Amino acid sequence: MAPSMKVQSTSGHHVRIGFVVWARIWSAVFAVVFIGVTALTICLWVTDPEYTETTPVSDLSFFALGAIIGLGFVNQLRTPELNIAGVQQAVIGILSLGVAGLIGDRIEPLVGSLLFLLAATVLLALHPSRRDFFKLSGRVSAPLGALSVLAAVPSFWYAAKMLALAADAGPSCFLGECAHGDRFAEMAAAAIAIVLVGLLAALRTQGSRIAVWSAGAAAVVIGAASIALPDAPGAIGQAWGALAVTWGVLLVTAGEWQARQRSAFDGGQ
């Protein structure tokens, strides 16, 4: 092996190690932020009758958004070359949070999104398939696209409503001190992200199965929470909650059916 090839191989190995370490660190950070905070606030809601800053509906919406972002990072821990869609969906979730924070005039979601975007940028810079980030497959899924477009109007209407509540929710601050208003912005971000990640799944970029499951599961979580607590602030009600659950199940079913059809087709080649 020529010396130049050895240098390139060593450099590539170090980049790969840096990528894996960075993905692991931020996967752990997202687990603490989104799972830990959600568990804490739900416990406060259950144990403290005077706690009204958040409800399980808003908390689970926050968790659903975090799952979209965090799973995109976790998805890179195994064969990242085949999972660029994970990075794409993480960026979609982060940008949705940033836009919601900006429009809803909530500083913590906005600053959080900027920090997460920096982490995603570094992850992408180290990614072995970074050149595929803006590449489309050319094989759009009609069922997944139709489901995502169908959900767009009610989801964006709901997001606009939540952003109006966020802007009118009083002062904005850091470290959960203004969680009531921040949650409205995060609920709007979750609604936006679910639709956009569904569209990402329809574009069928490399590893888009994670996008199918993330969008579908997030819709089911938010819908089920609204069915259980239809009168909670930000809940979409039982009827819309049932539709959200149905939509999530249909999205995953359609995505899995297409994945199996493709596997059967490839296996027959």
Side-chain angles (χ1 to χ4, degrees):
M1 182 181 292
S4 62
M5 293 180 65
K6 289 182 179 180
V7 171
Q8 290 177 0
S9 177
T10 301
S11 175
H13 179 66
H14 288 161
V15 170
R16 179 74 176 218
I17 292 175
F19 171 82
V20 172
V21 170
W22 190 253
R24 286 178 176 174
I25 289 172
W26 280 95
S27 295
V29 169
F30 289 129
V32 171
V33 171
F34 291 104
I35 297 177
V37 171
T38 299
L40 174 63
T41 51
I42 287 180
C43 286
L44 287 173
W45 184 84
V46 171
T47 59
D48 185 359
E50 297 182 359
Y51 183 76
T52 57
E53 287 295 295
T54 68
T55 70
V57 176
S58 62
D59 292 335
L60 289 173
S61 295
F62 175 71
F63 171 77
L65 176 64
I68 288 173
I69 298 171
L71 287 176
F73 276 71
V74 172
N75 191 237
Q76 305 311 305
L77 299 178
R78 182 180 180 185
T79 59
E81 297 86 353
L82 303 178
N83 290 304
I84 193 64
V87 183
Q88 292 169 325
Q89 82 166 42
V91 171
I92 287 173
I94 292 166
L95 291 178
S96 298
L97 179 62
V99 169
L102 181 63
I103 297 175
D105 196 23
R106 309 306 301 183
I107 188 170
E108 186 168 297
L110 177 59
V111 172
S113 73
L114 294 175
L115 177 61
F116 297 158
L117 185 59
L118 177 61
T121 301
V122 174
L123 186 76
L124 181 60
L126 298 173
H127 201 284
S129 297
R130 55 188 173 276
R131 293 180 181 85
D132 294 335
F133 184 78
F134 293 105
K135 186 182 294 184
L136 301 180
S137 68
R139 300 173 289 103
V140 178
S141 167
L144 297 180
L147 283 167
S148 299
V149 171
L150 182 66
V153 172
S155 294
F156 291 154
W157 174 84
Y158 169 79
K161 184 178 178 181
M162 292 301 102
L163 290 174
L165 291 174
D168 293 337
S172 180
C173 55
F174 288 103
L175 299 177
E177 294 295 326
C178 306
H180 182 68
D182 292 345
R183 280 293 190 266
F184 288 129
E186 291 154 1
M187 294 167 88
I192 295 169
I194 287 171
V195 171
L196 295 182
V197 172
L199 288 172
L200 172 65
L203 294 175
R204 300 171 76 174
T205 55
Q206 188 72 270
S208 59
R209 194 175 187 182
I210 186 67
V212 172
W213 277 93
S214 296
V220 169
V221 167
I222 295 173
S226 293
I227 292 172
L229 294 169
D231 297 323
I236 58 179
Q238 290 183 326
W240 282 105
L243 287 173
V245 171
T246 302
W247 182 89
V249 171
L250 287 175
L251 190 79
V252 171
T253 301
E256 284 298 300
W257 179 80
Q258 288 202 332
R260 291 176 183 177
Q261 290 292 106
R262 183 181 176 186
S263 296
F265 176 79
D266 291 344
Q269 296 299 307

